[in-house]
Amino acid sequence: MPRKPDAPNEAPPCPGPGPAPRPPSFAIPRGACAPHAPVIGAPERFPFVTARSYTPPPAPMAAYLAMLDALRMDRGVLVQVSVHGTDNRAMLEALGASPDRLRGIAVVNADASDRELETLARAGVRGVRLNTLFGGGVTPEHLERLAERIAPLGWHMQFLIDARTLPELGPRIERLPVEAVIDHMGFIPVDAGIENPGFQWLLRLLKGGRTWVKVSGTYRISKTGAPFHDATPFARALLAAAPDRCLWGSDWPHVAVTGPMFNTGDLLELLPLWAPDETLRRKVLVDNPTRLFGFPEFTD
């Protein structure tokens, strides 16, 4: 699990994304959406928070859109990166440059003003993120209060957590007045096994009908490394439990990677292994994100 540093000089640099993504070898349906990637602004314009876990290079809007194009994704959802804390300006700038194609997930404090939340909603934000794994994120201390604040906007709450905490956190998520999205298959290391109580709690939340999950971030939970096939049982279990509530995300530009950088396109190549059926892949790539993020029906 990532460790939150005690001092700024402990936030090590991390590499940028790998080479240009390889295009997918299988058909991508029109209207496909990759709902998980940040843009990272240049720190001289968008300063990094001091209490961060890593120091990334910029990941600008142009590079992000090129990644979407390479993967043949018509739409994307930007997720506020932890190093920018609650300063959502870099993300908002990107949303403003491509409002029809993109939506966003912000990071805000529980005491954010109504005006701030309304401004974010007009910009295309559709949820807020809580991050317990990397420095700079907002923790679940004010979970219920924050959920109350965003409920009138029709937003959801997104969680970057270790699913092994769900036996304690899960009951709180079940009682929230908003829907929840769990990042990266619960960020649970594969050697914990799918029978782990935390992963079983994730399946319970999915079957309850008010939680979604991203079958993404395989490289963050794998123990064998690329091509990350040891994560397949987890992805298949999630897709079997709730095919209408699973999403795929690139997690580009792959911040805080400690091993060799891989090609983003290779992550998308895992999807047919988990979902051989074209109808299921369409749900994951088109139907589910369209519904969750409020995109209009796609037309050519």
Side-chain angles (χ1 to χ4, degrees), residues 5-176:
D6 299 319
N9 61 7
E10 291 188 29
C14 67
R22 278 188 280 273
S25 64
F26 62 99
I28 302 297
R30 295 309 308 272
C33 178
H36 195 104
V39 289
I40 302 172
E44 58 269 21
R45 287 191 61 208
F46 306 101
F48 294 161
V49 296
T50 300
R52 62 185 186 273
S53 300
Y54 56 88
T55 301
M61 174 72 166
Y64 168 67
L65 293 179
M67 180 274 297
L68 287 184
D69 291 341
L71 298 184
R72 300 177 187 151
M73 297 287 161
D74 291 305
R75 291 165 165 169
V77 179
L78 294 172
V79 174
Q80 172 72 351
V81 66
S82 65
V83 297
H84 285 316
T86 58
D87 180 359
N88 294 283
R89 290 178 300 137
M91 182 187 67
L92 292 177
E93 185 175 282
L95 291 178
S98 193
D100 295 331
R101 188 177 189 182
L102 303 179
R103 296 291 184 267
I105 303 298
V107 173
V108 300
N109 292 313
D111 59 356
S113 69
D114 290 341
R115 182 177 181 180
E116 178 183 352
L117 297 178
E118 291 163 2
T119 298
L120 291 170
R122 287 194 299 271
V125 168
R126 295 296 179 263
V128 297
R129 190 188 202 202
L130 275 78
N131 175 350
T132 66
L133 300 183
F134 290 94
V138 175
T139 66
E141 179 183 1
H142 303 293
L143 170 59
E144 287 79 9
R145 172 59 179 152
L146 189 53
E148 291 173 2
R149 298 293 314 285
I150 68 173
L153 298 169
W155 289 3
H156 62 265
M157 188 162 287
Q158 181 174 311
F159 294 87
L160 181 61
I161 57 173
D162 185 325
R164 289 173 293 184
T165 66
L166 281 175
E168 177 182 355
L169 186 61
R172 294 174 65 188
I173 293 175
E174 284 185 315
R175 294 192 294 267
L176 293 178

Side-chain angles (χ1 to χ4, degrees), residues 202-290:
L202 177 54
L203 296 176
R204 168 178 165 169
L205 289 171
L206 287 177
K207 293 173 182 177
R210 298 183 64 251
T211 298
W212 308 68
V213 70
K214 292 176 185 170
V215 284
S216 61
T218 48
Y219 63 96
R220 299 194 182 278
I221 68 173
S222 172
K223 294 299 180 181
T224 60
F228 315 117
H229 286 169
D230 55 339
T232 291
F234 292 80
R236 288 177 174 169
L238 295 168
L239 287 161
D244 294 325
R245 305 187 76 80
C246 290
L247 314 156
W248 181 84
S250 68
D251 198 26
W252 179 95
H254 317 301
V255 297
V257 167
T258 56
M261 185 56 72
F262 42 83
N263 191 286
T264 304
D266 292 344
L267 301 179
L268 184 55
E269 288 299 317
L270 294 170
L271 185 57
L273 301 178
W274 308 335
D277 180 72
E278 186 176 342
T279 300
L280 177 55
R281 292 200 299 273
R282 179 180 176 83
K283 284 185 178 184
V284 172
L285 293 174
V286 182
D287 300 339
N288 297 349
T290 295

